[in-house]
Amino acid sequence: MADGDEASLPIRPKQPKQQLTKGMEHMRKYVVVPEKALSASEKTDDYGIPSTIEPIRKATSDAASNPQNRTDPFQFGTRYLEQDSDIFAHNAWDHVEVDAQYAEFIEQQTIFQRDNQVSDFDKTRFKDKPEKWWDKFYSNNNANFFKDRKWLVQEFPILGEVTSEGHGKCTVLEIGAGAGNTAFPLLAMNKNDDLKVHACDYSAKAIDVIRAQEAYTAQGKPAVLKADVWDAAGEVLPPGLEAGSVDLVLMIFIFSALSPDQWTRAVSNIFTLLKPGGEVLLRDYGRGDLAQVRFKKGRYLEENFYVRGDGTRVYFFEEQELRDIWSGKLPTFEDAEDDSQKVLTDTPKFEIVNLAVDRRMLVNRQRKLKMYRCWMQGRFRKPA
């Protein structure tokens, strides 16, 4: 080609982006917006849930006596979505039920996730020393990821009692303390001179984050809050705590971080630590929660058990499953084919004081999105 001559090359036309991959074709009717004019609230949202799925509304009640109309933006439990309610009038609705279409969507998502699960190599990698993934998580996020849990007393009134002035001696153990988003609110509200709070986590980095906070270092003597590294499914008890020395155990979104083969050991350790009549306060993820249905390829480890993009793991519970675990009906390792597995003969049997499914619809008013959440909340007592 002579200098100055321009090359005449064919230009390849840009190909339109494929609407759905082959692996998502079975979800077409759920994720593709119909070809018709839709309002802003009807369009497919960014959370992977079809925006056309609507919650089941309750019959309209007398607005004058209905507590759902309260102005307190943080009072949960009595804000019901009724026939004449504007979904975007509040930022959250309680006890929200969804129709059969959503249940079908969950099942379709589960099939898709199961067909595109984590490789055997990665299953082994994520199962080995899970604390290292949490160390990495807290190294990247420090105390900036989670918000302090201001709803603690709202959901667990007993915490208001044990932190009140003159209540008397009480030892609280928080398992899976993370960056202290439960421990520090307890410390801030405490007026009980005889309260002791032990915050434990199997991530050493998380404990470093707690110990570095001013609220921790500025404590008087003796300190109310103490933070230590401890594996709830390990073979030893937490530093400074003996068998039968704990009044309350807090487990806020931590039981789900354990693999199913760790449940029995963790429950056994907790049973050992509690005084007779001591209680466990649990809040965790339920099956069908937004966090579960939005998982894509390569996150499914086993049934209801997933790995997040940062390598941390999460399980989503059924109500009856939790009842079986904490009441001692969960199968032990006695009949395990692998002889190397530890045999647990004394399965702890807690009394189920309360266990319920907490279904809520959270709303993003600005973006006109609705998010269906499903949490489990329980209170279990060691027999006196």
Side-chain angles (χ1 to χ4, degrees):
M1 183 184 300
D3 291 343
D5 290 346
E6 295 183 359
S8 179
L9 298 176
I11 299 176
R12 184 178 180 181
K14 186 176 181 180
Q15 299 297 315
K17 191 173 183 179
Q18 186 177 2
Q19 186 180 31
L20 290 177
T21 63
K22 291 182 179 180
M24 291 184 65
E25 275 298 331
H26 65 287
M27 296 173 59
R28 174 171 291 277
K29 69 177 181 179
Y30 297 110
V31 299
V32 175
V33 180
E35 293 185 357
K36 65 175 184 178
L38 296 178
S39 67
S41 63
E42 291 176 322
K43 294 179 180 178
T44 304
D45 65 35
D46 295 339
Y47 294 96
I49 295 178
S51 59
T52 53
I53 292 179
E54 291 289 340
I56 298 174
R57 293 174 179 261
K58 299 181 182 297
T60 302
S61 64
D62 178 10
S65 61
N66 188 353
Q68 79 163 9
N69 293 293
R70 68 193 341 141
T71 58
D72 179 3
F74 197 73
Q75 182 70 31
F76 289 132
T78 53
R79 186 168 281 165
Y80 298 98
L81 186 68
E82 299 183 344
Q83 291 293 346
D84 58 350
S85 301
D86 174 8
I87 284 180
F88 299 104
H90 299 295
N91 57 9
W93 300 90
D94 302 297
H95 309 295
V96 170
E97 298 179 32
V98 291
D99 58 19
Q101 184 185 6
Y102 186 65
E104 182 184 353
F105 170 68
I106 293 174
E107 293 306 317
Q108 291 292 338
Q109 279 291 84
T110 303
I111 292 171
F112 170 76
Q113 293 162 350
R114 192 184 294 125
D115 289 344
N116 296 275
Q117 58 187 275
V118 177
S119 67
D120 291 339
F121 172 79
D122 281 337
K123 283 183 181 180
T124 302
R125 187 165 65 96
F126 291 124
K127 187 175 182 179
D128 183 42
K129 296 182 178 179
E131 67 274 11
K132 72 180 182 182
W133 298 103
W134 284 106
D135 282 340
K136 185 177 180 181
F137 173 87
Y138 286 109
S139 294
N140 293 335
N141 297 285
N142 288 309
N144 304 320
F145 190 80
F146 299 109
K147 295 181 179 179
D148 285 349
R149 291 157 177 159
K150 300 177 182 178
W151 44 262
L152 289 169
V153 175
Q154 168 73 28
E155 300 296 337
F156 300 112
I158 192 173
L159 294 177
E161 298 173 17
V162 302
T163 55
S164 62
E165 185 177 2
H167 179 273
K169 291 184 178 180
C170 182
T171 299
V172 177
L173 169 63
E174 186 194 3
I175 301 175
N181 302 98
T182 294
F184 286 126
L186 283 180
L187 184 63
M189 75 173 70
N190 181 51
K191 297 179 181 179
N192 180 8
D193 293 335
D194 295 314
L195 179 71
K196 297 295 180 184
V197 178
H198 289 253
C200 295
D201 199 287
Y202 66 5
S203 167
K205 181 60 182 177
I207 297 303
D208 288 343
V209 171
I210 292 179
R211 291 175 176 173
Q213 300 301 309
E214 183 179 357
Y216 188 88
T217 59
Q219 293 184 91
K221 300 292 184 179
V224 173
L225 175 60
K226 187 175 183 293
D228 286 297
V229 177
W230 181 58
D231 182 359
E235 301 295 326
V236 297
L237 299 182
L241 292 177
E242 299 177 351
S245 65
V246 176
D247 295 280
L248 283 177
V249 170
L250 282 175
M251 302 185 73
I252 311 296
F253 297 107
I254 175 58
F255 202 48
S256 56
L258 301 176
S259 63
D261 60 7
Q262 293 179 303
W263 292 342
T264 305
R265 169 53 65 188
V267 173
S268 180
N269 284 338
I270 294 166
F271 193 89
T272 298
L273 283 163
L274 280 171
K275 297 175 181 178
E279 296 187 353
V280 178
L281 308 180
L282 178 143
R283 187 168 179 80
D284 225 315
Y285 296 103
R287 186 164 189 265
D289 181 64
L290 169 69
Q292 180 181 19
V293 299
R294 67 185 297 185
F295 277 119
K296 298 181 174 65
K297 290 184 177 181
R299 298 298 171 204
Y300 180 100
L301 290 169
E302 54 187 88
E303 195 67 16
N304 292 326
F305 195 36
Y306 299 78
V307 61
R308 302 184 181 95
D310 56 18
T312 61
R313 305 173 306 175
V314 58
Y315 191 93
F316 297 87
F317 292 98
E318 298 275 9
E319 180 182 349
Q320 188 58 50
E321 187 174 36
L322 281 175
R323 289 186 181 276
D324 291 344
I325 293 169
W326 290 92
S327 63
K329 297 178 183 178
L330 182 72
T332 65
F333 297 125
E334 292 178 287
D335 299 323
E337 296 180 4
D338 185 0
D339 293 334
S340 65
Q341 286 185 307
K342 188 174 181 63
V343 176
L344 295 173
T345 55
D346 297 325
T347 304
K349 295 177 174 58
F350 282 86
E351 298 172 358
I352 309 296
V353 179
N354 189 18
L355 179 60
V357 182
D358 182 357
R359 298 187 186 277
R360 294 183 186 169
M361 184 176 73
L362 307 185
V363 171
N364 184 318
R365 302 180 194 176
Q366 183 178 10
R367 300 172 64 191
K368 299 300 181 185
L369 301 177
K370 50 187 187 294
M371 298 153 273
Y372 298 103
R373 305 309 308 263
C374 179
W375 298 308
M376 310 301 298
Q377 188 155 306
R379 183 173 175 180
F380 316 123
R381 180 182 296 139
K382 180 177 179 177

